[in-house]
Amino acid sequence: MPHEGSLLQAAVVFLFAAVLAVPLAKRLQLGAVIGYLIAGVIIGPAVLGLIGNPQSVAHISELGVVLLLFIIGLELSPKRLWVMRKSVFGVGLAQVLVTGVVIGATALFAFGQPLNTAVVLGLGLALSSTAFGLQSLAERKELNAPHGRLAFAILLFQDIAAIPLIAMVPLLAGAGHDASSGNSLTHGLQVLGVIAIVVIGGRYLLRPVFRIVARTKLQEVSTATALLVVIGTAWLMDLVGVSMALGAFLAGLLLADSEYRHEIESQIEPFKGLLLGLFFISVGMGANISLLFSTPVTVIGLTLLLIALKLPLLFIVGRLAGGLGKQSALRLGLVLAAGGEFAFVVFKIGRDQGLFEARLYDLLVLTITLSMAVTPLLLLAMARWLKGKTVAREVPEEYRDIESDNPRVVIAGMGRMGQIVARILRAQNISFVALDTSVETIEFTRSFGNAPVFYGDPLRPEILRAAKVDQAEFFVIATDDPDANIKTAELVRKLYPHMKIIARARNRQHVHRLMDVDAQAIRETFYSSLEMTRRTLVGLGLSQAQADARISRFKRHDEKVLNAQHLIYDDAVKVKQNALEARKELAELFEADRLDEEAAKN
């Protein structure tokens, strides 16, 4: 079977491998990245050999990382980057230096590598995978978590640090001593010139270009322009030997405040996803799997050693320099413990310059690839381990001491609904006490003023007594857990029979359960849905009065149906029959209203 004869054949192989491997990996909760890596290994020369030359797709796949960094730059702004300067240049620098020194010293003393080789090994392995780390955080919706934000800052610094490291490798290899100073000066001027072109172009030229393109109203031209900006910037940077990804990040950063930012991002996003997947497939293809079978102890040992060195160091940096808690620091360590894609570039230059033997280079590439593959498994294991443990933060004493002065209202749950209730009560100078079991929520609420929000589980009778529920007029249950709301309503009704209870309900079934304990149920999306419908009716041509009349009619009818169904809600057959009859009745009522309106006009 021909391996490289057809571009279409290669495209089919890549897409087919991704379609099979990625959903399977996701189903096994391993994440998309490990699916792409497995797909690359299977179709690569080490297994099926469907793609004989992994290097043939390496340059195209690197565009995935380029587009990722461009979108990251778009989502930032120079102001936000300035705010993050301590995390980027403080914590990021500390991580690279500390990790580089420890790994370099290990290579120097434990493995007997020459000093210049040990330096390149240490700094190269100190880098983590930007694509892998950010993709893993995004899959787990942790990009905005404390460890996610710090991981992004560290990865950003690593991308910046990769530039001087790549330039330093030939010097450490002893190449070009005679004209090193002149070449360095020329190269430095070229880099500055290209950066100046990117900055000036991004600031003064790109906006008029996008304005002209937007006026054409041609989607394909807009997409082509967005791709031209990213790939053109990456090409300019590559010409002077600077990281393409960093150039793309700089272009994105310059367009972060542009009015066309969201349009550009929407155009680039599909290409980014596909090419990033191709990047991970190419990583899997490039791994020399035969080494895993010929010297399994060496390969697995090096992989475990890399993670065992980086993870504790990242944990310490996260705790001491980043101010993270223990669990957040551990998550940071796991996400960044693997090797990075820039290490492939650094080590390839090192091999070409004679710093590494071909076998050592293959071992390093396989070690980095395996470390990427192991990381999702470690993240999954940690998530399951933490699931069975108490992960709540330590509660400060001032949150536990419930201070209440004859509250008229007690609120259980200070999420979206509870906060709105509290804000209105406070504006009316109505005394209340709020309870929540999330330290983060309490901290956030108190940060806007000295709100009477305290730590406490409303399902504990002693907490209710401490909140002086017996002196309150209303008990508002607003937590996001329907079962907990029902249990809380049942407990409050049992302990305080005369209490007026208003409780948040997820659906009609929960409404019935709350009605059983004489609580007034408020469906959490009912009124917002009515408002959306009212605005839709007005937009479709009804007058304001007609739309209001339809919504009022629906509300009255729905309340009537809900009360009727409360008597039979345990019988699914009767509820279904009642719903069908109610739907027919509502249509008849709307038709009667329409006829009355027409008669009134005539």
Side-chain angles (χ1 to χ4, degrees):
M1 178 178 182
H3 296 323
E4 302 164 0
S6 169
L7 182 62
L8 285 177
Q9 176 187 308
V12 168
V13 169
F14 281 121
L15 292 172
F16 190 69
V19 167
L20 285 181
V22 175
L24 179 61
K26 291 276 283 185
R27 187 174 181 82
L28 296 173
Q29 297 184 330
L30 300 176
V33 173
I34 197 168
Y36 286 123
L37 289 172
I38 292 170
V41 170
I42 292 172
I43 67 175
V47 182
L48 296 180
L50 299 178
I51 304 293
N53 181 17
Q55 296 301 318
S56 62
V57 296
H59 292 297
I60 299 175
S61 67
E62 284 172 13
L63 286 177
V65 182
V66 168
L67 294 176
L68 174 68
L69 265 292
F70 178 74
I71 287 181
I72 290 169
L74 273 182
E75 292 173 350
L76 276 175
S77 66
K79 290 180 182 177
R80 187 179 168 199
L81 186 61
W82 178 252
V83 170
M84 294 175 60
R85 64 189 184 280
K86 291 183 181 177
S87 297
V88 175
F89 297 101
V91 182
L93 177 63
Q95 183 272 327
V96 171
L97 288 180
V98 171
T99 310
V101 167
V102 171
I103 295 178
T106 304
L108 182 65
F109 297 110
F111 292 92
Q113 294 294 324
L115 179 61
N116 51 359
T117 303
V119 170
V120 175
L121 277 172
L123 293 175
L125 292 174
L127 305 178
S128 304
S129 172
T130 301
F132 180 83
L134 295 180
Q135 186 85 350
S136 298
L137 289 168
E139 282 181 7
R140 290 166 173 77
K141 296 183 171 72
E142 295 175 351
L143 276 171
N144 290 318
H147 68 281
R149 291 193 297 269
L150 190 61
F152 170 73
I154 291 173
L155 288 168
L156 182 54
F157 178 82
Q158 289 180 357
D159 291 339
I160 296 170
I163 298 171
L165 177 58
I166 290 170
M168 190 175 69
V169 174
L171 298 177
L172 287 171
H177 280 304
D178 297 335
S180 60
S181 58
N183 289 340
S184 297
L185 179 60
T186 304
H187 182 255
L189 291 173
Q190 288 175 342
V191 171
L192 289 175
V194 167
I195 291 175
I197 291 171
V198 172
V199 170
I200 295 169
R203 184 63 66 186
Y204 300 107
L205 297 179
L206 290 182
R207 289 190 184 190
V209 168
F210 280 111
R211 192 179 303 117
I212 294 168
V213 170
R215 286 174 181 165
T216 66
K217 295 183 179 179
L218 293 173
Q219 193 78 11
E220 61 273 20
V221 178
S222 180
T223 302
T225 307
L227 287 171
L228 176 63
V229 169
V230 183
I231 298 174
T233 307
W235 173 69
L236 280 174
M237 290 293 186
D238 190 48
L239 280 180
V240 293
V242 175
S243 161
M244 292 192 297
L246 189 67
F249 171 77
L250 184 59
L253 194 66
L254 292 168
L255 288 169
D257 294 326
S258 167
E259 60 270 31
Y260 304 103
R261 176 171 71 89
H262 296 295
E263 174 70 15
I264 297 169
E265 187 172 354
S266 67
Q267 304 288 355
I268 293 293
E269 188 68 38
F271 295 95
K272 183 212 75 173
L274 279 172
L275 290 171
L276 203 56
L278 183 60
F279 169 78
F280 288 117
I281 290 177
S282 70
V283 170
M285 288 168 54
N288 187 356
I289 299 297
S290 61
L291 283 175
L292 184 59
F293 299 102
S294 61
T295 56
V297 176
T298 303
V299 173
I300 295 172
L302 287 174
T303 304
L304 295 177
L305 179 63
L306 175 63
I307 294 173
L309 288 174
K310 288 186 74 172
L311 201 155
L313 293 173
L314 283 160
F315 178 86
I316 293 168
V317 168
R319 289 280 285 162
L320 298 182
L324 297 179
K326 290 182 181 178
Q327 289 176 18
S328 293
L330 181 58
R331 292 177 192 273
L332 174 76
L334 287 173
V335 168
L336 301 183
E341 56 270 3
F342 283 120
F344 296 137
V345 180
V346 172
F347 294 156
K348 184 176 182 299
I349 296 171
R351 181 195 64 183
D352 295 342
Q353 296 290 337
L355 279 174
F356 305 133
E357 296 177 355
R359 177 181 167 78
L360 177 57
Y361 171 76
D362 287 344
L363 276 174
L364 289 170
V365 170
L366 187 57
T367 296
I368 294 168
T369 305
L370 285 180
S371 69
M372 289 182 180
V374 167
T375 300
L377 301 176
L378 294 176
L379 286 168
L380 184 63
M382 186 192 69
R384 291 184 176 176
W385 176 65
L386 291 177
K387 197 173 182 181
K389 298 176 73 66
T390 302
V391 297
R393 283 176 51 185
E394 185 178 349
V395 184
E397 200 60 39
E398 64 267 25
Y399 294 176
R400 291 184 181 277
D401 294 336
I402 301 176
E403 301 172 2
S404 55
D405 186 17
N406 301 328
R408 296 183 64 188
V409 181
V410 176
I411 305 172
M414 281 298 283
R416 294 166 296 167
M417 295 182 74
Q419 286 177 21
I420 292 173
V421 174
R423 284 168 58 192
I424 296 173
L425 291 177
R426 202 169 188 193
Q428 295 286 313
N429 291 320
I430 297 172
S431 60
F432 70 92
V433 169
L435 303 172
D436 205 291
T437 55
S438 168
V439 176
E440 289 81 5
T441 299
I442 297 171
E443 285 179 349
F444 177 77
T445 307
R446 286 194 173 203
S447 67
F448 290 95
N450 192 23
V453 185
F454 301 96
Y455 183 88
D457 185 352
L459 286 171
R460 293 170 56 190
E462 65 271 22
I463 295 294
L464 300 179
R465 284 194 296 271
K468 297 182 181 178
V469 174
D470 58 321
Q471 299 179 23
E473 299 173 45
F474 280 87
F475 194 96
V476 177
I477 306 172
T479 65
D480 195 23
D481 185 339
D483 294 330
N485 288 354
I486 292 167
K487 290 177 183 177
T488 302
E490 290 171 347
L491 178 63
V492 172
R493 176 61 66 222
K494 178 182 176 182
L495 296 177
Y496 309 99
H498 304 295
M499 178 63 60
K500 298 170 186 173
I501 304 173
I502 301 176
R504 175 180 178 177
R506 179 67 55 83
N507 52 40
R508 298 174 83 87
Q509 201 68 15
H510 295 133
V511 171
H512 296 313
R513 295 279 302 278
L514 291 166
M515 290 171 69
D516 287 341
V517 294
D518 194 25
Q520 183 179 347
I522 305 296
R523 282 173 280 172
E524 55 189 23
T525 59
F526 183 67
Y527 293 99
S528 55
S529 300
L530 291 180
E531 178 61 19
M532 289 175 70
T533 307
R534 186 185 67 78
R535 296 191 184 192
T536 303
L537 292 176
V538 171
L540 291 172
L542 272 69
S543 68
Q544 192 75 39
Q546 288 174 322
D548 290 342
R550 299 293 190 278
I551 297 301
S552 297
R553 168 71 77 185
F554 177 83
K555 282 176 63 179
R556 292 195 301 272
H557 181 264
D558 188 69
E559 287 169 4
K560 174 187 169 185
V561 171
L562 197 62
N563 288 325
Q565 289 180 346
H566 180 61
L567 303 174
I568 56 171
Y569 76 87
D570 284 332
D571 190 330
V573 176
K574 290 183 179 179
V575 169
K576 186 176 181 179
Q577 181 62 31
N578 181 271
L580 292 172
E581 293 172 358
R583 186 184 303 169
K584 183 179 178 182
E585 181 186 6
L586 182 63
E588 292 172 352
L589 289 170
F590 278 160
E591 180 64 18
D593 287 344
R594 187 184 65 80
L595 292 174
D596 289 344
E597 288 169 359
E598 289 182 356
K601 286 180 183 179
N602 297 328

